[in-house]
Amino acid sequence: MRKNQNFILISRSALVSGAEIMLSRLASCLIGIKLGGRVECVISNTEVKKLSADTDRIDFVYKKPLVKISKKPIFLFFYAICGFLSFFKLFFIPRTCRIIFNDIESLVSDWPLAVFRRSYFYLHDSHKLDRVKGRSTCLFISFLVDKILVVTRSRVNKLEGVGVANAQYFPNCVLVEDALSISEDDVEKSCLRGRYKAVAVGQITSWKRIDKSIELVDKLNEAGVPVDLEIYGRPDPLSSLDAEYFLKIQMMCAESGFSKLLGYTEDLRSIYREADMFISMSANEPFGLALVEALSFGVPAIAMEGEGPDEILSNDVGVLLSEEFKYDEELIDRVKGVISMSPIKCKERAGLYSYEIYRERVKCEFKTECSN
């Protein structure tokens, strides 16, 4: 850590997910906010560096990944004790520097930085506040940092309801140059070929419930709606449970005949260009960055009710399914309606989460004008 840093962003997760993507975009927005200063990103996955368009203006520092507290709760106490060593780091960090934590493990292991410098916690995780564990976690975070940046309004309200007074609405964004400039004429719908194309994009993990997406597509085909599903994503390489779930999805795709598991890709433009719908069956999705990305390419969506989808989707760009939904004629009709929704309306909805709006929110939150 150098003495001229104005912002230090810390992510000690070994996995690249929406949280790490947004940390990279936040770093890019922070560049230039103060002349003469630098932005430092402390990361545990080198792929995070590839996500930023301003790698030459960001100081990336690699640190060994931390073990997830959710997997081994005993590490909470271990990290807290080790955190006392972070007092020495304070000598190298100016008082004007702002620290932004991206995960609970980095916050606990560097808690003196949070307490003795102006600090933020970028809350992406879906901590269920109807449980004692979720409430306790968020309250604990709020005591250590000055502000919690929260990606949905409903989460802000829930946090305030359990006594968290320093939550700030701070939604995610899409990159405008990637999608929103596409015109309706550029969208080549698969229905012109006789079969509809659905896509699912995200980490292949059990809570994303890719198996439910495959099941939905199978039921639609049984009902006479010709839909093929393309699944893009990968499991956590360090998780044995994700590896088992990945094998399960492979088997389901082979048995289905309507679904294909195509792995990880960065070429979203070609994927969404021919897609008729996006499917997300995630349980209690905290935001849904892939959902907004699909809308930004003019692709309507089917998603489960949850904090993120409830706020992102409107009736003219997608359909929300309750946990108790049934595969009946009403559902089939609703899905058919999704296929015919306007790409322009979808892109307009995604525009609420544009990079420009996000950048202005960053400037407003950090109380200074951008020098760009």
Side-chain angles (χ1 to χ4, degrees):
M1 295 182 178
R2 304 176 183 177
K3 290 188 177 182
N4 69 333
Q5 304 294 36
N6 296 111
F7 301 97
I8 298 175
L9 289 66
I10 307 176
S11 175
R12 298 294 298 275
S13 172
L15 180 69
V16 175
S17 64
E20 284 68 43
I21 291 173
M22 289 313 306
L23 188 75
S24 176
R25 292 178 186 174
L26 175 59
S28 296
C29 288
L30 291 173
I31 290 174
I33 279 185
K34 187 172 182 179
L35 289 173
R38 300 281 297 185
V39 174
E40 181 176 291
C41 275
V42 180
I43 58 174
S44 294
N45 191 311
T46 56
E47 289 189 34
V48 176
K49 185 175 180 179
K50 300 177 183 178
L51 298 172
S52 175
D54 302 283
T55 55
D56 59 329
R57 302 176 65 191
I58 301 174
D59 297 322
F60 286 95
V61 178
Y62 179 80
K63 296 287 186 179
K64 186 178 180 180
L66 297 176
V67 176
K68 286 286 186 181
I69 293 175
S70 58
K71 294 181 179 179
K72 294 185 177 181
I74 190 65
F75 273 77
L76 173 65
F77 304 100
F78 175 74
Y79 292 150
I81 294 173
C82 292
F84 283 97
L85 298 176
S86 294
F87 276 105
F88 296 101
K89 297 179 182 179
L90 293 172
F91 292 104
F92 302 95
I93 301 176
R95 292 188 176 276
T96 56
C97 183
R98 304 177 196 186
I99 317 293
I100 303 166
F101 296 93
N102 210 47
D103 56 285
I104 186 69
E105 291 77 21
S106 63
L107 174 63
V108 177
S109 62
D110 278 328
W111 62 264
L113 305 187
V115 174
F116 295 101
R117 293 294 182 268
R118 185 159 182 80
S119 59
Y120 302 78
F121 189 88
Y122 209 165
L123 181 63
H124 299 273
D125 291 338
S126 180
H127 299 293
K128 296 182 179 180
L129 296 183
D130 56 343
R131 300 178 183 177
V132 175
K133 179 181 177 182
R135 296 181 183 185
S136 301
T137 300
C138 292
L139 282 171
F140 173 72
I141 292 171
S142 70
F143 292 143
L144 292 179
V145 300
D146 293 280
K147 276 191 178 182
I148 302 178
L149 305 179
V150 187
V151 295
T152 60
R153 294 188 186 279
S154 59
R155 172 63 52 169
V156 173
N157 295 334
K158 289 182 179 181
L159 288 174
E160 292 175 347
V162 298
V164 175
N166 57 346
Q168 173 69 42
Y169 177 57
F170 208 82
N172 294 339
C173 72
V174 292
L175 292 178
V176 176
E177 59 268 28
D178 283 351
L180 295 177
S181 61
I182 295 177
S183 68
E184 190 164 14
D185 293 336
D186 291 331
V187 182
E188 298 175 357
K189 294 301 181 181
S190 302
C191 58
L192 299 176
R193 299 196 301 269
R195 292 190 64 83
Y196 303 109
K197 180 184 290 186
V199 295
V201 179
Q203 182 187 353
I204 309 298
T205 188
S206 58
W207 79 270
K208 289 290 187 179
R209 302 199 300 188
I210 305 297
D211 54 306
K212 296 293 184 182
S213 298
I214 296 173
E215 181 180 313
L216 173 61
V217 169
D218 286 348
K219 294 294 184 181
L220 291 173
N221 279 278
E222 289 177 11
V225 182
V227 181
D228 294 318
L229 175 65
E230 294 183 352
I231 304 166
Y232 296 91
R234 59 189 171 187
D236 180 350
L238 302 179
S239 170
S240 59
L241 292 177
D242 278 7
E244 292 177 8
Y245 186 72
F246 188 80
L247 291 175
K248 175 184 176 180
I249 297 303
Q250 284 183 316
M251 293 180 62
M252 290 187 67
C253 288
E255 295 172 357
S256 166
F258 303 111
S259 301
K260 294 181 181 179
L261 182 57
L262 300 175
Y264 176 77
T265 181
E266 297 178 357
D267 187 13
L268 294 177
R269 179 179 291 270
S270 62
I271 292 172
Y272 290 124
R273 183 181 178 87
E274 297 182 351
D276 298 286
M277 69 178 80
F278 176 87
I279 301 179
S280 172
M281 304 295 278
S282 300
N284 193 34
E285 182 71 67
F287 183 77
L289 186 57
L291 177 60
V292 181
E293 288 174 341
L295 293 176
S296 71
F297 282 95
V299 181
I302 301 171
M304 298 298 298
E305 293 177 345
E307 291 185 13
D310 288 354
E311 295 187 16
I312 294 170
L313 288 185
S314 56
N315 292 332
D316 55 350
V317 300
V319 167
L320 286 170
L321 303 178
S322 67
E323 286 290 340
E324 299 78 24
F325 81 91
K326 298 180 180 179
Y327 295 106
D328 52 21
E329 291 185 7
E330 180 182 356
L331 175 68
I332 303 302
D333 289 339
R334 293 175 71 192
V335 171
K336 287 181 178 178
V338 170
I339 293 170
S340 61
M341 288 179 177
S342 167
I344 298 300
K345 290 288 185 181
C346 293
K347 289 187 286 185
E348 288 176 352
R349 187 69 181 179
L352 299 176
Y353 305 94
S354 70
Y355 184 75
E356 281 80 1
I357 293 177
Y358 182 82
R359 188 174 183 177
E360 288 301 315
R361 183 173 280 112
V362 170
K363 289 164 59 177
C364 179
E365 176 58 41
F366 291 95
K367 309 296 183 184
T368 182
E369 293 185 1
C370 181
S371 62
N372 288 5

